[in-house]
Amino acid sequence: MPSSRISDVFTKLKSENRLAFMPFITSGDPDIAATGELITELGKQGCDLIEIGFPYSDPIADGPTIQASYTRALDKGLHVNDIFNTVAALPTEELPPLVAMVAFAIIYRIGPEEFLTKLKSAGFSGMIVPDLPGDEAASFFELSQKHGLDLVQLVSPTTKPERVERILAAASGFVYCISVAGITGVREDLPPELKDQLRWLREKTDLPLAVGFGIGKPEQIDMLRDVADGVIVGSAIVRQLEPLAKAPDQKKAIIDQIGNYAADMLAATKS
Amino acid sequence: MADTSRPNLPRASTAVAEPTTHDPDARGHFGIFGGRYIPEALMAVIEEVTAAYEKARTDQAFLDKLDDLQTHYTGRPSPLYEAIRLSEHAGGARIFLKREDLNHTGSHKINNVLGQALLARQMGKTRVIAETGAGQHGVATAVACARFGLDCVVYMGEEDIRRQKLNVFNMRTMGAEVRPVTTGSRTLRDAINEAMRDWMASVETTHYILGSVVGPHPFPQIVRDFQSVIGKEARQQCLEETGRLPDEVIACVGGGSNAAGMFYPFVEDDSVQLTGVEAGGRGPQPGQHASPLSYGRKGVLHGSFSYVMQDDDGQTCDVHSISAGLDYPGVGPEHAYWKDTGRVNYVAAEDDEALAAFKKLATLEGILPALESSHAIAHTIKAAKQRGPDDIIVVCLSGRGDKDVTEVARLLGQEL
Ligand SMILES: Cc1ncc(COP(=O)(O)O)c(C=O)c1O
């Protein structure tokens, strides 16, 4: 496993016997300035990585919470360059590694080479491309490596064992393990089969395993302690941004609230 | 039991059973187009559908069932009808209409739906979902689910529900649940997004009957094959009725399924010019039309790489067409391939032209075409003018216009 800022984080956490906590936020919701402030706040709380969603008009893997958030951002006229400019203005070396969540539709339109150049120079460490499954990803993976960016791949509960090898061949950074079949969104329970799949994946790869989709509560982190290396929380954070569309004066309060939430989740990763 | 009344005409199953050199590669590429740009969560079911389809193609019992349904349920073959007064009006080539409007449910959509409903049963699925724009694919799916006793949910944009009340009523009467889609542009593209989301969480029980030659592999191939009965029949009928192949074949292009089914059997007939007609809307300015092949660029949408209407950031643009069934920012990947290889020529017909063609076909031939099909008729009248009386044009009349009369009356400022 080649070393990168992302892999270094996981190596360090292993020695501390702690899970990584990775919050997801939508860029441009409620506005791009708030995104910069949120990243700063989440970094200050000690989050291990931060996922930055690039709003997309047709996000089929996302549930209603994240989709609505993407729509709010796009309705305000957010452009991809706004995201790059905002992140580039932050002291990214002092922040946790930033991972873009971005549709291949966007990457292809901008041009893979140009997109990766801009992503790198803005200070991102890697990306997740939810609509570029392992099979289509080989050449893009090579290109990402050349740019020194990790390409995180997803594995779903329905992924057949024989596919996993092909997926891992085009993966770096960590493996994003989808906890349940379906779309993003907060759920009450985690399915029992999840642990079996994580144990099985552990045999197949040295890459850290991070679990996402449906995670929102500290107790869920406890459940995953023995089998995973990190958790990703999206909808549970993004839904806290919702009220800002109607009450923009609450911005400071909501950013603090998300900071507190992150602190609670981080505490649960330790014990 | 297959058709015995017209034993000389090709059956629906022949286009399904024969692998050809025009099939996409194993991962669904037509040249650089197509593929599977989908979330990993859909990959397993997409592979299941691919395997089930490959098995069905060589399963005689499956193929016989399809032929039986197409004959006795759909009413195939559909006639090839020479529109003499329309031809006189155009003042050039002889115009023949391939009458898909006469199928059960009133459009070509049933050809694909019956095939996929059989496939759903073969895979042991008990529930079917579909997206619909004009409602024709939704109605065909509701009908097939009633016929096979499958649960049926149809996703439909709120805006389209308003435009297509008759079809919504028909779907519900057939026992389908019509779920209004309130996200994004509230039209066909958002209905596809919602159907994909449903499918990701319901793969165990559910088959998604995608209604056009779009989406991830294997849909563009499956839908083309099930629709190819249109062109297979038309080719043979033309030979029988006129003694030769047509000079030009024309079809409207939304996602591109009636056009793919019509063109595909003619692809190797070099003498036959193929023309796809997109929705030109109110003109070529962005947002005013739904013509990705004429004005769009290459990109990814709904799981495949094709031509698409996108902005500089890769965000899908809003599109416009008078006809809900053509109001879609993408197009099937095989059409993109045919465009780039030059095999098919794509043009656009605008709202006004389609409306005028709607009226012309009604008054000259006593046929009310669907607004989608009216785009093909509009271009056919132009194309026929450019040709001599010995030339033959075959055009796909993909559906009947009953569903559109409320909208047409509204546009003409009349009360129903
Ligand atoms: C009658 C009719 N023709 C054409 C279309 C466009 O679809 P396609 O391009 O897939 O044939 C539709 C879609 O709803 C339709 O109802």
Side-chain angles (χ1 to χ4, degrees):
Chain A
M1 184 171 72
S3 136
S4 68
R5 271 199 76 191
I6 294 176
S7 65
D8 291 348
V9 165
F10 283 99
T11 310
K12 179 162 158 286
L13 286 172
K14 200 164 214 108
S15 71
E16 294 169 10
N17 199 16
R18 185 164 80 75
L19 263 68
F21 173 64
M22 300 179 236
F24 167 96
I25 56 172
T26 301
S27 32
D29 184 22
D31 52 53
I32 193 68
T35 303
E37 291 165 41
L38 258 174
I39 295 172
T40 306
E41 172 68 23
L42 293 168
K44 201 175 82 193
Q45 295 295 341
C47 294
D48 302 294
L49 291 104
I50 304 174
E51 274 182 41
I52 313 284
F54 282 49
Y56 175 49
S57 54
D58 297 84
I60 50 181
D62 284 301
T65 308
I66 291 177
Q67 189 190 18
S69 169
Y70 278 1
T71 304
R72 287 194 295 273
L74 291 174
D75 284 350
K76 287 212 168 159
L78 180 83
H79 288 288
V80 173
N81 274 335
D82 301 332
I83 308 175
F84 289 141
N85 294 339
T86 300
V87 170
L90 299 171
T92 47
E93 329 71 62
E94 296 156 29
L95 287 167
L98 304 179
V99 182
M101 174 72 97
V102 54
F104 192 66
I106 295 176
I107 298 175
Y108 181 81
R109 167 59 53 237
I110 290 172
E113 188 75 53
E114 184 178 340
F115 181 86
L116 292 172
T117 305
K118 287 181 164 175
L119 196 71
K120 180 76 183 174
S121 69
F124 282 86
S125 299
M127 78 224 107
I128 306 164
V129 187
D131 55 350
L132 190 71
D135 316 61
E136 298 283 353
S139 65
F140 186 69
F141 176 65
E142 262 179 50
L143 202 58
S144 315
Q145 297 288 295
K146 230 184 276 164
H147 284 261
L149 288 158
D150 281 321
L151 180 65
V152 174
Q153 292 285 358
L154 294 103
V155 172
S156 126
T158 54
T159 302
K160 296 245 168 60
E162 59 268 25
R163 277 186 56 77
V164 168
E165 250 162 77
R166 260 183 291 159
I167 294 173
L168 293 174
S172 65
F174 61 92
V175 181
Y176 191 138
C177 307
I178 302 172
S179 66
V180 285
I183 52 181
T184 56
V186 182
R187 288 173 180 80
E188 285 304 310
D189 303 310
L190 291 174
E193 308 82 52
L194 176 63
K195 284 196 173 189
D196 298 336
Q197 194 192 27
L198 289 167
R199 286 198 189 96
W200 181 85
L201 269 173
R202 180 74 84 205
E203 307 267 298
K204 297 275 160 199
T205 180
D206 294 334
L207 288 172
L209 307 177
V211 179
F213 283 39
I215 311 265
K217 292 187 288 194
E219 307 88 79
Q220 289 170 316
I221 295 179
D222 276 337
M223 262 189 61
L224 292 169
R225 189 171 311 282
D226 305 332
V227 283
D229 304 300
V231 294
I232 301 156
V233 173
S235 299
I237 289 175
V238 170
R239 72 178 171 200
Q240 300 185 47
L241 294 169
E242 255 163 32
L244 283 177
K246 293 206 181 70
D249 53 318
Q250 296 292 305
K251 198 157 114 177
K252 172 88 179 59
I254 298 261
I255 290 175
D256 286 348
Q257 175 188 316
I258 292 175
N260 291 338
Y261 171 80
D264 288 347
M265 292 297 275
L266 274 162
T269 62
K270 281 167 191 148
S271 51
Chain B
M1 220 185 330
D3 183 19
T4 47
S5 60
R6 302 288 307 272
N8 49 331
L9 283 185
R11 298 171 188 181
S13 66
T14 54
V16 176
E18 297 160 1
T20 72
T21 51
H22 298 284
D23 283 349
D25 73 15
R27 287 186 293 118
H29 297 101
F30 302 92
I32 59 169
F33 299 104
R36 286 171 170 164
Y37 295 87
I38 49 169
E40 180 58 32
L42 276 179
M43 206 47 112
V45 72
I46 278 290
E47 288 187 337
E48 182 189 350
V49 174
T50 309
Y53 180 64
E54 286 309 320
K55 189 156 157 265
R57 296 176 86 173
T58 58
D59 176 352
Q60 198 53 49
F62 178 94
L63 299 171
D64 287 346
K65 263 187 245 161
L66 179 64
D67 288 333
D68 181 41
L69 282 165
Q70 285 282 40
T71 304
H72 299 102
Y73 194 65
T74 309
R76 299 210 73 89
S78 68
L80 184 71
Y81 161 76
E82 181 164 11
I84 292 176
R85 294 194 67 215
L86 183 71
S87 307
E88 277 170 8
H89 163 77
R94 295 167 72 187
I95 300 171
F96 288 75
L97 309 178
K98 178 61 175 164
R99 298 290 306 274
E100 292 299 298
D101 60 316
L102 295 177
N103 294 339
H104 179 39
T105 72
S107 82
H108 68 292
K109 295 287 181 186
I110 190 86
N111 299 324
N112 165 45
V113 166
L114 289 176
Q116 288 205 51
L118 282 174
L119 212 54
R121 290 232 308 194
Q122 203 99 328
M123 291 185 289
K125 310 282 175 174
T126 55
R127 178 175 178 266
V128 158
I129 55 174
E131 85 294 339
T132 199
Q136 290 303 96
H137 175 58
V139 166
T141 305
V143 158
C145 288
R147 165 71 181 69
F148 289 112
L150 297 161
D151 291 338
C152 181
V153 173
V154 178
Y155 288 92
M156 187 167 186
E158 249 187 358
E159 171 64 13
D160 292 333
I161 289 181
R162 184 191 65 75
R163 289 195 276 192
Q164 304 286 341
K165 290 203 176 76
L166 176 68
N167 276 339
V168 174
F169 179 81
N170 289 348
M171 283 185 268
R172 290 185 171 143
T173 305
M174 238 82 70
E177 180 191 340
V178 180
R179 284 197 194 156
V181 175
T182 57
T183 49
S185 64
R186 296 157 199 243
T187 60
L188 183 54
R189 113 169 121 94
D190 305 282
I192 294 179
N193 292 340
E194 286 305 327
M196 296 251 189
R197 291 188 184 115
D198 179 317
W199 204 22
M200 258 180 266
S202 64
V203 290
E204 293 281 319
T205 60
T206 302
H207 178 60
Y208 176 19
I209 302 191
L210 192 47
S212 194
V213 287
V214 301
H217 178 66
F219 285 112
Q221 182 189 355
I222 290 183
V223 179
R224 175 199 76 189
D225 289 354
F226 285 136
Q227 290 293 2
S228 287
V229 65
I230 306 173
K232 284 227 165 202
E233 284 177 4
R235 189 176 183 283
Q236 184 69 25
Q237 287 166 319
C238 187
L239 284 170
E240 283 177 18
E241 290 172 32
T242 72
R244 63 188 194 82
L245 289 174
D247 298 284
E248 185 169 358
V249 172
I250 298 175
C252 69
V253 179
S257 68
N258 87 89
M262 188 71 182
F263 295 162
Y264 188 54
F266 291 99
V267 158
E268 289 184 359
D269 297 320
D270 292 337
S271 68
V272 181
Q273 186 182 334
L274 303 174
T275 307
V277 186
E278 296 190 291
R282 293 182 283 248
Q285 305 79 18
Q288 299 298 314
H289 60 80
S291 305
L293 291 163
S294 304
Y295 309 122
R297 36 193 187 175
K298 298 181 182 91
V300 174
L301 177 66
H302 289 148
S304 85
F305 181 62
S306 184
Y307 279 84
V308 55
M309 295 310 304
Q310 281 181 338
D311 69 12
D312 291 339
D313 273 0
Q315 311 291 352
T316 312
C317 298
D318 286 343
V319 289
H320 162 81
S321 169
I322 191 177
S323 82
L326 303 183
D327 205 350
Y328 180 64
V331 67
E334 193 166 17
H335 286 290
Y337 176 71
W338 285 335
K339 174 189 158 77
D340 277 18
T341 55
R343 181 62 191 95
V344 180
N345 185 35
Y346 295 90
V347 298
E350 298 188 358
D351 286 351
D352 292 349
E353 298 173 294
L355 207 52
F358 178 92
K359 286 190 275 186
K360 270 283 166 301
L361 201 66
T363 53
L364 293 175
E365 298 289 347
I367 296 171
L368 274 184
L371 278 177
E372 292 79 13
S373 323
S374 301
H375 288 74
I377 302 292
H379 183 74
T380 299
I381 296 172
K382 280 197 219 167
K385 277 196 203 343
Q386 309 296 317
R387 294 184 173 273
D390 294 333
D391 280 7
I392 294 168
I393 296 179
V394 173
V395 53
C396 184
L397 189 63
S398 55
R400 66 171 182 234
D402 308 50
K403 68 181 175 66
D404 294 316
V405 292
T406 325
E407 187 69 3
V408 171
R410 191 180 70 83
L411 291 165
L412 299 176
Q414 296 171 14
E415 289 247 349
L416 268 193

